[in-house]
Amino acid sequence: MNFSRERTITEIQNDYKEQVERQNQLKKRRRKGLYRRLTVFGALVFLTAIVLASSVWSQTSSLSAKEEKKEQLEKELKSLKTKQADLKEEISKLKDEDYVTELARRDLFMSGDGEIIFNVEKKSK
């Protein structure tokens, strides 16, 4: 046997072979279309995930800011309620005549009958 001889085989052109080639080309086109659709779908899913994540993040930051403000306002409300209670107590004390006279003597230097007030300044150290 002589291996140095080249063998050339001619292809047979028939309908079956053309049909198989068309089917292979159709499969390749469908595969390319599938990859394109999957790429577009993946990109849409990715963009949707980004939008949802940013939305959740902004809502979380907004919620935390509102919670901080709520805590601050609750502290302010508590202080205002204590102030209100003190003022109500002061109102009830001002209805007492003895308390009013004591305040007038202390703050306004008013004297009672037969009393003399001496204003003595305190020396600062």
Side-chain angles (χ1 to χ4, degrees):
M1 287 198 195
N2 192 356
F3 290 107
S4 63
R5 218 172 31 155
E6 290 185 29
R7 291 187 166 185
T8 58
I9 301 174
T10 59
E11 293 185 17
I12 301 174
Q13 297 293 332
N14 61 12
D15 291 337
Y16 176 73
K17 183 181 172 196
E18 290 175 8
Q19 183 180 7
V20 169
E21 285 179 8
R22 274 189 249 129
Q23 285 177 351
N24 287 338
Q25 288 175 354
L26 184 62
K27 283 182 183 179
K28 285 181 183 179
R29 272 192 257 134
R30 285 184 180 169
R31 187 170 289 142
K32 280 184 181 180
L34 175 66
Y35 289 145
R36 287 179 188 152
R37 286 190 301 272
L38 287 175
T39 303
V40 169
F41 181 72
L44 288 175
V45 168
F46 183 70
L47 290 174
T48 304
I50 289 174
V51 167
L52 291 176
S54 67
S55 172
V56 167
W57 184 59
S58 67
Q59 287 177 357
T60 303
S61 63
S62 172
L63 183 62
S64 64
K66 287 181 181 182
E67 285 177 351
E68 289 176 8
K69 187 171 183 177
K70 179 185 173 189
E71 290 174 5
Q72 177 189 3
L73 290 174
E74 284 176 347
K75 288 179 183 178
E76 186 179 340
L77 177 65
K78 185 177 179 182
S79 68
L80 288 175
K81 282 187 177 184
T82 57
K83 187 176 180 181
Q84 181 184 17
D86 292 342
L87 290 174
K88 282 186 179 183
E89 183 180 338
E90 184 72 22
I91 289 172
S92 66
K93 285 181 181 179
L94 287 174
K95 290 180 182 177
D96 184 21
E97 195 168 314
D98 292 333
Y99 182 73
V100 173
T101 56
E102 182 184 328
L103 280 178
R105 285 182 178 189
R106 185 187 68 203
D107 295 338
L108 302 176
F109 302 111
M110 296 183 120
S111 63
D113 292 334
E115 292 181 348
I116 299 173
I117 297 177
F118 294 100
N119 191 4
V120 180
E121 294 183 21
K122 295 180 182 178
K123 292 182 181 179
S124 61
K125 293 181 180 180

